[in-house]
mmCIF file of all heavy atoms in Angstrom:
data_model
loop_
_atom_site.group_PDB
_atom_site.id
_atom_site.type_symbol
_atom_site.label_atom_id
_atom_site.label_comp_id
_atom_site.label_asym_id
_atom_site.label_seq_id
_atom_site.Cartn_x
_atom_site.Cartn_y
_atom_site.Cartn_z
ATOM 1 N N GLN A 81 -4.547 12.114 -1.559
ATOM 2 C CA GLN A 81 -3.373 12.692 -2.151
ATOM 3 C C GLN A 81 -2.947 11.860 -3.400
ATOM 4 O O GLN A 81 -2.628 12.415 -4.495
ATOM 5 C CB GLN A 81 -2.219 12.628 -1.133
ATOM 6 C CG GLN A 81 -1.036 13.480 -1.567
ATOM 7 C CD GLN A 81 -0.060 13.632 -0.352
ATOM 8 O OE1 GLN A 81 -0.080 12.819 0.539
ATOM 9 N NE2 GLN A 81 0.837 14.599 -0.485
ATOM 10 N N ILE A 82 -3.067 10.452 -3.314
ATOM 11 C CA ILE A 82 -2.763 9.633 -4.373
ATOM 12 C C ILE A 82 -3.718 9.841 -5.535
ATOM 13 O O ILE A 82 -3.285 9.897 -6.679
ATOM 14 C CB ILE A 82 -2.735 8.194 -3.904
ATOM 15 C CG1 ILE A 82 -1.615 7.903 -3.011
ATOM 16 C CG2 ILE A 82 -2.688 7.221 -5.088
ATOM 17 C CD1 ILE A 82 -1.694 6.540 -2.210
ATOM 18 N N LYS A 83 -4.958 10.019 -5.252
ATOM 19 C CA LYS A 83 -6.004 10.219 -6.270
ATOM 20 C C LYS A 83 -5.646 11.545 -7.035
ATOM 21 O O LYS A 83 -5.757 11.625 -8.250
ATOM 22 C CB LYS A 83 -7.380 10.274 -5.743
ATOM 23 C CG LYS A 83 -7.932 8.895 -5.305
ATOM 24 C CD LYS A 83 -9.325 9.086 -4.703
ATOM 25 C CE LYS A 83 -9.879 7.802 -4.170
ATOM 26 N NZ LYS A 83 -11.198 7.890 -3.577
ATOM 27 N N ALA A 84 -5.266 12.541 -6.226
ATOM 28 C CA ALA A 84 -4.964 13.782 -6.842
ATOM 29 C C ALA A 84 -3.726 13.717 -7.759
ATOM 30 O O ALA A 84 -3.738 14.310 -8.930
ATOM 31 C CB ALA A 84 -4.731 14.876 -5.741
ATOM 32 N N VAL A 85 -2.706 12.991 -7.352
ATOM 33 C CA VAL A 85 -1.599 12.875 -8.221
ATOM 34 C C VAL A 85 -1.890 12.047 -9.500
ATOM 35 O O VAL A 85 -1.473 12.477 -10.649
ATOM 36 C CB VAL A 85 -0.424 12.098 -7.425
ATOM 37 C CG1 VAL A 85 0.776 11.887 -8.328
ATOM 38 C CG2 VAL A 85 0.004 12.918 -6.245
ATOM 39 N N LEU A 86 -2.647 10.963 -9.401
ATOM 40 C CA LEU A 86 -3.031 10.190 -10.525
ATOM 41 C C LEU A 86 -3.871 11.045 -11.535
ATOM 42 O O LEU A 86 -3.656 10.968 -12.696
ATOM 43 C CB LEU A 86 -3.837 8.977 -10.089
ATOM 44 C CG LEU A 86 -3.064 7.857 -9.359
ATOM 45 C CD1 LEU A 86 -3.979 6.837 -8.873
ATOM 46 C CD2 LEU A 86 -1.995 7.292 -10.229
ATOM 47 N N GLN A 87 -4.734 11.811 -10.966
ATOM 48 C CA GLN A 87 -5.539 12.726 -11.800
ATOM 49 C C GLN A 87 -4.649 13.665 -12.607
ATOM 50 O O GLN A 87 -4.865 13.997 -13.728
ATOM 51 C CB GLN A 87 -6.578 13.415 -10.944
ATOM 52 C CG GLN A 87 -7.612 14.348 -11.777
ATOM 53 C CD GLN A 87 -8.465 13.483 -12.725
ATOM 54 O OE1 GLN A 87 -8.780 12.418 -12.407
ATOM 55 N NE2 GLN A 87 -8.700 14.091 -13.874
ATOM 56 N N ALA A 88 -3.733 14.231 -11.888
ATOM 57 C CA ALA A 88 -2.762 15.243 -12.493
ATOM 58 C C ALA A 88 -2.030 14.547 -13.584
ATOM 59 O O ALA A 88 -1.851 15.159 -14.731
ATOM 60 C CB ALA A 88 -1.866 15.821 -11.436
ATOM 61 N N LEU A 89 -1.565 13.399 -13.406
ATOM 62 C CA LEU A 89 -0.770 12.682 -14.359
ATOM 63 C C LEU A 89 -1.677 12.211 -15.582
ATOM 64 O O LEU A 89 -1.053 12.186 -16.802
ATOM 65 C CB LEU A 89 -0.078 11.447 -13.781
ATOM 66 C CG LEU A 89 0.977 11.741 -12.701
ATOM 67 C CD1 LEU A 89 1.566 10.392 -12.115
ATOM 68 C CD2 LEU A 89 2.096 12.614 -13.286
ATOM 69 N N ARG A 90 -2.858 12.018 -15.325
ATOM 70 C CA ARG A 90 -3.780 11.624 -16.453
ATOM 71 C C ARG A 90 -4.052 12.823 -17.370
ATOM 72 O O ARG A 90 -4.494 12.575 -18.603
ATOM 73 C CB ARG A 90 -5.163 11.181 -15.905
ATOM 74 C CG ARG A 90 -5.127 9.750 -15.332
ATOM 75 C CD ARG A 90 -6.509 9.225 -15.073
ATOM 76 N NE ARG A 90 -6.572 8.153 -14.133
ATOM 77 C CZ ARG A 90 -6.904 8.196 -12.878
ATOM 78 N NH1 ARG A 90 -7.295 9.411 -12.432
ATOM 79 N NH2 ARG A 90 -6.823 7.175 -12.057
ATOM 80 N N CYS A 91 -3.793 14.060 -16.903
ATOM 81 C CA CYS A 91 -4.036 15.221 -17.727
ATOM 82 C C CYS A 91 -3.089 15.310 -18.974
ATOM 83 O O CYS A 91 -3.336 15.983 -19.876
ATOM 84 C CB CYS A 91 -3.992 16.472 -16.874
ATOM 85 S SG CYS A 91 -5.263 16.674 -15.708
ATOM 86 N N PHE A 92 -1.920 14.563 -18.884
ATOM 87 C CA PHE A 92 -1.063 14.549 -20.046
ATOM 88 C C PHE A 92 -1.770 13.794 -21.171
ATOM 89 O O PHE A 92 -2.094 12.660 -20.986
ATOM 90 C CB PHE A 92 0.255 13.866 -19.607
ATOM 91 C CG PHE A 92 0.956 14.625 -18.610
ATOM 92 C CD1 PHE A 92 1.262 14.047 -17.355
ATOM 93 C CD2 PHE A 92 1.597 15.814 -18.789
ATOM 94 C CE1 PHE A 92 1.876 14.593 -16.352
ATOM 95 C CE2 PHE A 92 2.207 16.533 -17.822
ATOM 96 C CZ PHE A 92 2.383 15.933 -16.587
ATOM 97 N N LYS A 93 -1.867 14.408 -22.320
ATOM 98 C CA LYS A 93 -2.567 13.815 -23.477
ATOM 99 C C LYS A 93 -1.671 12.799 -24.152
ATOM 100 O O LYS A 93 -2.210 11.901 -24.814
ATOM 101 C CB LYS A 93 -3.129 14.889 -24.352
ATOM 102 C CG LYS A 93 -4.185 15.770 -23.728
ATOM 103 C CD LYS A 93 -4.738 16.819 -24.730
ATOM 104 C CE LYS A 93 -5.761 17.664 -24.079
ATOM 105 N NZ LYS A 93 -6.294 18.695 -25.019
ATOM 106 N N THR A 94 -0.425 12.956 -24.130
ATOM 107 C CA THR A 94 0.492 12.006 -24.681
ATOM 108 C C THR A 94 1.377 11.496 -23.530
ATOM 109 O O THR A 94 1.252 11.850 -22.373
ATOM 110 C CB THR A 94 1.388 12.716 -25.695
ATOM 111 O OG1 THR A 94 2.073 13.818 -25.175
ATOM 112 C CG2 THR A 94 0.501 13.284 -26.793
ATOM 113 N N GLU A 95 2.231 10.623 -23.926
ATOM 114 C CA GLU A 95 3.167 10.057 -22.893
ATOM 115 C C GLU A 95 4.037 11.137 -22.368
ATOM 116 O O GLU A 95 4.680 11.909 -23.114
ATOM 117 C CB GLU A 95 4.099 9.039 -23.546
ATOM 118 C CG GLU A 95 3.337 7.674 -23.927
ATOM 119 C CD GLU A 95 4.279 6.593 -24.285
ATOM 120 O OE1 GLU A 95 5.549 6.870 -24.293
ATOM 121 O OE2 GLU A 95 3.807 5.512 -24.713
ATOM 122 N N PRO A 96 3.887 11.296 -20.982
ATOM 123 C CA PRO A 96 4.655 12.495 -20.381
ATOM 124 C C PRO A 96 6.169 12.328 -20.470
ATOM 125 O O PRO A 96 6.702 11.312 -20.361
ATOM 126 C CB PRO A 96 4.112 12.434 -18.978
ATOM 127 C CG PRO A 96 3.882 11.040 -18.705
ATOM 128 C CD PRO A 96 3.397 10.403 -20.009
ATOM 129 N N GLN A 97 6.801 13.501 -20.602
ATOM 130 C CA GLN A 97 8.244 13.556 -20.429
ATOM 131 C C GLN A 97 8.496 13.429 -18.917
ATOM 132 O O GLN A 97 7.780 13.841 -18.044
ATOM 133 C CB GLN A 97 8.795 14.895 -21.033
ATOM 134 C CG GLN A 97 8.509 15.026 -22.522
ATOM 135 C CD GLN A 97 9.314 14.062 -23.307
ATOM 136 O OE1 GLN A 97 10.439 13.712 -23.044
ATOM 137 N NE2 GLN A 97 8.632 13.498 -24.328
ATOM 138 N N ALA A 98 9.730 12.926 -18.670
ATOM 139 C CA ALA A 98 10.076 12.739 -17.214
ATOM 140 C C ALA A 98 10.036 14.099 -16.430
ATOM 141 O O ALA A 98 9.525 14.136 -15.282
ATOM 142 C CB ALA A 98 11.425 12.139 -17.089
ATOM 143 N N GLY A 99 10.497 15.184 -17.087
ATOM 144 C CA GLY A 99 10.493 16.474 -16.465
ATOM 145 C C GLY A 99 9.048 16.883 -15.974
ATOM 146 O O GLY A 99 8.918 17.540 -15.013
ATOM 147 N N ALA A 100 8.103 16.593 -16.875
ATOM 148 C CA ALA A 100 6.702 16.953 -16.538
ATOM 149 C C ALA A 100 6.277 16.213 -15.343
ATOM 150 O O ALA A 100 5.539 16.768 -14.405
ATOM 151 C CB ALA A 100 5.793 16.740 -17.716
ATOM 152 N N VAL A 101 6.536 14.953 -15.188
ATOM 153 C CA VAL A 101 6.243 14.034 -14.043
ATOM 154 C C VAL A 101 6.894 14.621 -12.760
ATOM 155 O O VAL A 101 6.339 14.754 -11.739
ATOM 156 C CB VAL A 101 6.528 12.606 -14.293
ATOM 157 C CG1 VAL A 101 6.194 11.806 -13.056
ATOM 158 C CG2 VAL A 101 5.741 12.062 -15.481
ATOM 159 N N PHE A 102 8.234 14.929 -12.960
ATOM 160 C CA PHE A 102 8.983 15.496 -11.812
ATOM 161 C C PHE A 102 8.334 16.731 -11.291
ATOM 162 O O PHE A 102 8.250 16.909 -10.053
ATOM 163 C CB PHE A 102 10.405 15.851 -12.240
ATOM 164 C CG PHE A 102 11.217 14.619 -12.678
ATOM 165 C CD1 PHE A 102 12.491 14.794 -13.353
ATOM 166 C CD2 PHE A 102 10.830 13.342 -12.422
ATOM 167 C CE1 PHE A 102 13.219 13.663 -13.686
ATOM 168 C CE2 PHE A 102 11.582 12.183 -12.775
ATOM 169 C CZ PHE A 102 12.709 12.450 -13.402
ATOM 170 N N ALA A 103 7.877 17.586 -12.132
ATOM 171 C CA ALA A 103 7.284 18.861 -11.713
ATOM 172 C C ALA A 103 5.993 18.613 -10.944
ATOM 173 O O ALA A 103 5.783 19.231 -9.917
ATOM 174 C CB ALA A 103 6.950 19.766 -12.942
ATOM 175 N N GLU A 104 5.248 17.665 -11.338
ATOM 176 C CA GLU A 104 3.899 17.305 -10.641
ATOM 177 C C GLU A 104 4.270 16.774 -9.305
ATOM 178 O O GLU A 104 3.632 17.023 -8.274
ATOM 179 C CB GLU A 104 3.125 16.302 -11.474
ATOM 180 C CG GLU A 104 2.466 16.947 -12.706
ATOM 181 C CD GLU A 104 1.484 18.061 -12.417
ATOM 182 O OE1 GLU A 104 0.814 18.010 -11.266
ATOM 183 O OE2 GLU A 104 1.354 19.005 -13.166
ATOM 184 N N LEU A 105 5.280 15.894 -9.294
ATOM 185 C CA LEU A 105 5.613 15.186 -7.972
ATOM 186 C C LEU A 105 6.196 16.214 -7.013
ATOM 187 O O LEU A 105 5.943 16.193 -5.791
ATOM 188 C CB LEU A 105 6.573 14.033 -8.209
ATOM 189 C CG LEU A 105 5.998 12.841 -9.056
ATOM 190 C CD1 LEU A 105 7.177 11.930 -9.278
ATOM 191 C CD2 LEU A 105 4.919 12.201 -8.252
ATOM 192 N N ASP A 106 6.989 17.155 -7.484
ATOM 193 C CA ASP A 106 7.544 18.245 -6.665
ATOM 194 C C ASP A 106 6.487 19.090 -6.155
ATOM 195 O O ASP A 106 6.514 19.505 -4.941
ATOM 196 C CB ASP A 106 8.526 19.082 -7.437
ATOM 197 C CG ASP A 106 9.835 18.345 -7.755
ATOM 198 O OD1 ASP A 106 10.161 17.483 -6.978
ATOM 199 O OD2 ASP A 106 10.509 18.837 -8.694
ATOM 200 N N ARG A 107 5.375 19.255 -6.886
ATOM 201 C CA ARG A 107 4.278 20.091 -6.490
ATOM 202 C C ARG A 107 3.391 19.454 -5.388
ATOM 203 O O ARG A 107 3.018 20.058 -4.364
ATOM 204 C CB ARG A 107 3.419 20.459 -7.708
ATOM 205 C CG ARG A 107 2.226 21.375 -7.316
ATOM 206 C CD ARG A 107 1.592 21.864 -8.645
ATOM 207 N NE ARG A 107 0.866 20.822 -9.397
ATOM 208 C CZ ARG A 107 -0.398 20.497 -9.261
ATOM 209 N NH1 ARG A 107 -1.072 21.114 -8.242
ATOM 210 N NH2 ARG A 107 -0.946 19.572 -9.979
ATOM 211 N N PHE A 108 3.257 18.134 -5.504
ATOM 212 C CA PHE A 108 2.432 17.410 -4.599
ATOM 213 C C PHE A 108 3.164 16.978 -3.344
ATOM 214 O O PHE A 108 2.627 16.751 -2.241
ATOM 215 C CB PHE A 108 1.790 16.143 -5.261
ATOM 216 C CG PHE A 108 0.581 16.385 -6.063
ATOM 217 C CD1 PHE A 108 0.679 16.550 -7.433
ATOM 218 C CD2 PHE A 108 -0.629 16.627 -5.451
ATOM 219 C CE1 PHE A 108 -0.399 16.840 -8.151
ATOM 220 C CE2 PHE A 108 -1.782 16.925 -6.140
ATOM 221 C CZ PHE A 108 -1.703 16.937 -7.524
ATOM 222 N N PHE A 109 4.528 16.783 -3.494
ATOM 223 C CA PHE A 109 5.302 16.364 -2.373
ATOM 224 C C PHE A 109 6.444 17.264 -2.094
ATOM 225 O O PHE A 109 7.648 16.888 -2.246
ATOM 226 C CB PHE A 109 5.881 14.940 -2.579
ATOM 227 C CG PHE A 109 4.767 13.916 -2.968
ATOM 228 C CD1 PHE A 109 4.731 13.426 -4.264
ATOM 229 C CD2 PHE A 109 3.790 13.617 -2.031
ATOM 230 C CE1 PHE A 109 3.753 12.495 -4.595
ATOM 231 C CE2 PHE A 109 2.805 12.661 -2.336
ATOM 232 C CZ PHE A 109 2.747 12.088 -3.696
ATOM 233 N N PRO A 110 6.244 18.564 -1.669
ATOM 234 C CA PRO A 110 7.256 19.485 -1.476
ATOM 235 C C PRO A 110 8.211 19.211 -0.351
ATOM 236 O O PRO A 110 9.355 19.633 -0.312
ATOM 237 C CB PRO A 110 6.447 20.791 -1.194
ATOM 238 C CG PRO A 110 5.217 20.382 -0.707
ATOM 239 C CD PRO A 110 4.909 19.067 -1.400
ATOM 240 N N GLU A 111 7.689 18.316 0.611
ATOM 241 C CA GLU A 111 8.533 17.959 1.736
ATOM 242 C C GLU A 111 9.175 16.564 1.543
ATOM 243 O O GLU A 111 9.793 16.063 2.545
ATOM 244 C CB GLU A 111 7.665 17.969 3.022
ATOM 245 C CG GLU A 111 7.071 19.392 3.422
ATOM 246 C CD GLU A 111 6.179 19.268 4.636
ATOM 247 O OE1 GLU A 111 6.032 18.156 5.233
ATOM 248 O OE2 GLU A 111 5.749 20.349 4.976
ATOM 249 N N GLY A 112 9.087 16.032 0.440
ATOM 250 C CA GLY A 112 9.772 14.771 0.134
ATOM 251 C C GLY A 112 8.758 13.626 0.098
ATOM 252 O O GLY A 112 7.538 13.805 0.322
ATOM 253 N N ALA A 113 9.289 12.460 -0.319
ATOM 254 C CA ALA A 113 8.413 11.328 -0.648
ATOM 255 C C ALA A 113 8.250 10.503 0.669
ATOM 256 O O ALA A 113 9.016 10.361 1.502
ATOM 257 C CB ALA A 113 9.077 10.351 -1.679
ATOM 258 N N ASP A 114 6.940 10.015 0.812
ATOM 259 C CA ASP A 114 6.634 9.061 1.845
ATOM 260 C C ASP A 114 6.547 7.696 1.145
ATOM 261 O O ASP A 114 5.988 7.473 0.238
ATOM 262 C CB ASP A 114 5.176 9.397 2.341
ATOM 263 C CG ASP A 114 4.748 8.480 3.471
ATOM 264 O OD1 ASP A 114 5.139 7.326 3.416
ATOM 265 O OD2 ASP A 114 3.941 8.852 4.329
#
Side-chain angles (χ1 to χ4, degrees):
Q81 194 172 20
I82 292 169
K83 287 180 182 178
V85 176
L86 290 173
Q87 184 63 37
L89 294 181
R90 286 194 197 103
C91 291
F92 297 113
K93 295 183 179 180
T94 58
E95 289 188 2
Q97 298 295 319
V101 177
F102 293 168
E104 289 297 329
L105 294 174
D106 287 337
R107 182 167 68 89
F108 279 99
F109 307 112
E111 297 180 359
D114 181 327

